[in-house]
Amino acid sequence: MNTNFPGAAGIRQFGHYAQLLYQALRSSTEISTYRKNLFQEFVKVGYESIPIIFLVGIFTGAVLTLQTAYQLDTDIYPSTIIGSIVAQSIVIELAAVISALVLAGKVGARISTELGTMRVSEQIDALESMGFNSVSFLVVPRILAGIFMFPILYITAAVFGIIGGVSAGALDGILPAAEFMEGARAFFFESDIIFGLIKSVVFGFVITSISCYKGYYAFGGAEGVGNATTQATVLSCIFVLLADFTLAAILL
Amino acid sequence: MIEIKNLKKSFGDLLVWEDVSFTIQDGETTAVIGRSGCGKSVLLKHLNALLYPDEGNVLIDGEDVFDLSYTGLRKVRQRFGILFQGGALFDSISTFENVAFPLRYFTEQGEEEIAHNVYEALSMVNLEDVGEKSTSELSGGMRKRVGLARAIILQPDYLLYDEPTSGLDPKTSDEINELIVTMADNLDITSVVITHDMHSVLEVSDRVAFLDEQKLSWFGNTDDMKHSDNQNLLEFIKASEYKIT
């Protein structure tokens, strides 16, 4: 059978990826193996990402406010509409997606580099040779950290995004904070937050699982680790955008 | 006892070796030699099923490691200690923690007992003072010795050495060879040493397996190598510039 048809490599990779996820799912019951690593990953994925998420949120909100004010510079709309558009855009889309794209670089690259280096320096073989389940020890805590920490980072980005929007509007003299918040509250729906949280969980899973897969199966020394990291980051970004579109089509 | 039976391994279209069969007797040290790229390390990773063959069996005391469930395999793997080529130390934790690592996860020992066992293992490899150092502060030879301390910490039945002297200066190589002999004698461990260093082979091994031309080309007592009529083995020995007397 010809296994070199166009797209065969992609199908093989997906099969390999699915196999790793299946192993991770089966290993997720071995809590004692990964408990300690899980807390470390919560800190690395969550706590250590807060500074960059703070900046992402503040600047996204601020720029969006300035650009929305520029685009709606007429007397037709009340100025509170700026707060409505900015807050809803942040909650539904930007806090989740821009954070995910930034975290694909920060978290995804770290995971694939760490695991890739462990693979090429035989540290993963060393774990297996001691009788460890390396998937449970290395992959499961990283994916769980993505699933649990990304929603917290999404909320952080959304809060700072709105703070950035309010501040930019007030400092630039576009609209007072009270008017911004009045507009934001007028179009605030709890379902938007739930939608954003669902997206962030999916993005956390996509980024950490792809990065674990690329790092875990890295080969070819330093160059191989570099390639694995590049592929992990690029694929994470592509699949975040695809997942974003799919979720919007299904849930909105 | 480890019985290797009719092992065949290939990566894609590349055949590494086929029909490899020999037995590693308890308490002995067997060296596996051959040119770079002949699949020595690949063979080593089959002994505890870190790699699986295309065909053949590896029997540990009569039990085929490739037929074991994952739980059974983990128990078998705990009977092995492996010294990897670069030491394979975990660089995110200290030297002490590297050696203590298997104890923390596979025993119920308290901190005091762990510390005692770790320093005992480190003293066996003549490195009592490096416990608190980061692994990045260790030289190549020290990394291998710490890797050896970690490999013996659970008192394995089998100790596998992957190129233990590669990249080391002659004096440090001699120290590692002495350690291999000491481990085999003092701990009554069955050892397998992957190497292309003939000096090391003569120092440490009881038997030799020579991989060449994608098969097991010669297997026998170390002392019998010089009487072998295997031309490739004799050329390999000669190329190592070690004079056998």
Side-chain angles (χ1 to χ4, degrees):
Chain A
M1 196 177 95
N2 178 20
T3 55
N4 292 321
F5 57 88
I11 292 171
R12 270 196 295 272
Q13 278 206 33
F14 182 76
H16 219 183
Y17 167 73
Q19 213 172 19
L20 181 69
L21 289 186
Y22 176 65
Q23 280 184 55
L25 187 64
R26 282 186 60 181
S27 309
S28 59
T29 52
E30 298 180 24
I31 297 168
S32 61
T33 308
Y34 63 79
R35 186 190 295 122
K36 193 175 160 196
N37 280 3
L38 184 60
F39 286 113
Q40 285 176 353
E41 286 302 320
F42 277 172
V43 171
K44 286 182 181 174
V45 173
Y47 180 73
E48 291 180 5
S49 297
I50 287 175
I52 188 76
I53 290 301
F54 164 79
L55 289 173
V56 166
I58 288 284
F59 282 101
T60 302
V63 170
L64 191 61
T65 300
L66 298 182
Q67 290 186 352
T68 306
Y70 169 72
Q71 287 174 295
L72 300 180
D73 189 17
T74 70
D75 294 331
I76 301 172
Y77 307 105
S79 60
T80 54
I81 196 76
I82 295 170
S84 306
I85 291 172
V86 170
Q88 206 169 32
S89 301
I90 285 171
V91 170
I92 292 178
E93 177 72 5
L94 297 175
V97 176
I98 294 187
S99 298
L101 295 175
V102 170
L103 291 172
K106 183 188 179 294
V107 173
R110 176 187 65 80
I111 288 174
S112 56
T113 307
E114 259 178 18
L115 296 192
T117 305
M118 289 187 77
R119 169 62 73 191
V120 300
S121 62
E122 296 184 306
Q123 291 177 50
I124 292 179
D125 282 343
L127 278 172
E128 288 283 343
S129 72
M130 288 176 203
F132 273 94
N133 177 346
S134 63
V135 172
S136 171
F137 194 74
L138 299 171
V139 174
V140 173
R142 285 167 170 82
I143 293 178
L144 286 179
I147 290 171
F148 285 105
M149 287 295 113
F150 270 53
I152 293 171
L153 295 172
Y154 156 73
I155 296 286
T156 308
V159 168
F160 283 112
I162 292 170
I163 292 172
V166 169
S167 307
L171 291 172
D172 209 46
I174 297 167
L175 80 170
E179 281 184 31
F180 185 103
M181 291 310 296
E182 185 190 333
R185 270 194 290 270
F187 286 89
F188 175 79
F189 304 108
E190 281 177 10
S191 58
D192 292 345
I193 300 259
I194 291 167
F195 180 56
L197 286 171
I198 291 171
K199 284 211 288 194
S200 64
V201 169
V202 173
F203 295 162
F205 170 77
V206 165
I207 290 169
T208 50
S209 62
I210 289 175
S211 304
C212 282
Y213 164 66
K214 282 292 171 189
Y216 191 80
Y217 291 114
F219 61 94
E223 189 184 356
V225 175
N227 289 338
T229 303
T230 306
Q231 288 172 18
T233 310
V234 171
L235 283 175
S236 293
C237 290
I238 291 171
F239 280 94
V240 160
L241 296 173
L242 283 174
D244 187 36
F245 173 76
T246 308
L247 288 171
I250 294 171
L251 297 176
L252 285 184
Chain B
M1 185 167 70
I2 304 174
E3 295 166 84
I4 298 162
K5 291 187 171 177
N6 307 112
L7 227 49
K8 177 187 175 184
K9 179 68 180 178
S10 50
F11 291 110
D13 296 333
L14 178 70
L15 175 68
V16 182
W17 28 248
E18 60 185 339
D19 202 23
V20 173
S21 301
F22 63 98
T23 300
I24 297 162
Q25 300 291 345
D26 283 346
E28 289 190 349
T29 297
T30 302
V32 179
I33 61 173
R35 299 174 68 172
S36 298
C38 73
K40 302 185 293 292
S41 298
V42 171
L43 178 63
L44 188 86
K45 288 180 179 177
H46 280 76
L47 301 187
N48 64 349
L50 284 177
L51 288 175
Y52 281 73
D54 302 337
E55 292 169 16
N57 317 89
V58 170
L59 308 181
I60 309 291
D61 296 337
E63 199 171 30
D64 191 345
V65 291
F66 304 126
D67 284 345
L68 292 171
S69 66
Y70 193 70
T71 313
L73 183 58
R74 288 168 82 170
K75 282 184 185 153
V76 166
R77 282 177 175 168
Q78 284 171 16
R79 296 180 62 193
F80 284 83
I82 303 189
L83 172 59
F84 288 91
Q85 256 185 60
L89 302 180
F90 306 126
D91 38 28
S92 56
I93 53 179
S94 70
T95 301
F96 177 94
E97 286 300 328
N98 261 280
V99 183
F101 195 82
L103 295 176
R104 293 202 188 284
Y105 282 92
F106 296 121
T107 71
E108 301 292 322
Q109 295 179 10
E111 282 304 315
E112 209 170 303
E113 200 176 353
I114 286 175
H116 174 263
N117 288 329
V118 168
Y119 283 111
E120 189 175 64
L122 284 172
S123 73
M124 286 183 79
V125 297
N126 307 318
L127 282 177
E128 297 89 342
D129 305 327
V130 301
E132 296 314 313
K133 283 192 176 180
S134 147
T135 55
S136 60
E137 294 175 73
L138 304 177
S139 67
M142 289 162 97
R143 291 178 73 85
K144 293 205 182 200
R145 282 190 279 168
V146 172
L148 184 54
R150 188 179 64 185
I152 61 170
I153 197 79
L154 289 178
Q155 301 175 332
D157 299 323
Y158 305 102
L159 202 40
L160 312 181
Y161 300 86
D162 191 1
E163 305 274 12
T165 58
S166 70
L168 301 180
D169 64 83
K171 178 137 184 7
T172 312
S173 294
D174 279 347
E175 288 171 8
I176 296 283
N177 288 335
E178 279 170 29
L179 276 174
I180 295 173
V181 174
T182 307
M183 295 296 154
D185 291 346
N186 293 0
L187 302 176
D188 193 25
I189 282 178
T190 304
S191 306
V192 181
V193 182
I194 301 293
T195 186
H196 47 229
D197 174 359
M198 287 310 297
H199 178 67
S200 183
V201 172
L202 295 170
E203 287 278 315
V204 306
S205 69
D206 301 302
R207 290 176 196 268
V208 173
F210 176 54
L211 291 176
D212 190 47
E213 295 179 340
Q214 299 169 324
K215 64 181 192 303
L216 178 67
S217 181
W218 190 85
F219 179 72
N221 293 331
T222 309
D223 295 339
D224 295 339
M225 274 196 306
K226 58 187 173 184
H227 309 303
S228 165
D229 55 2
N230 185 310
Q231 208 52 42
N232 288 355
L233 175 61
L234 294 175
E235 279 175 20
F236 183 83
I237 295 168
K238 190 179 171 192
S240 72
E241 295 182 343
Y242 189 87
K243 193 175 178 184
I244 303 171
T245 53

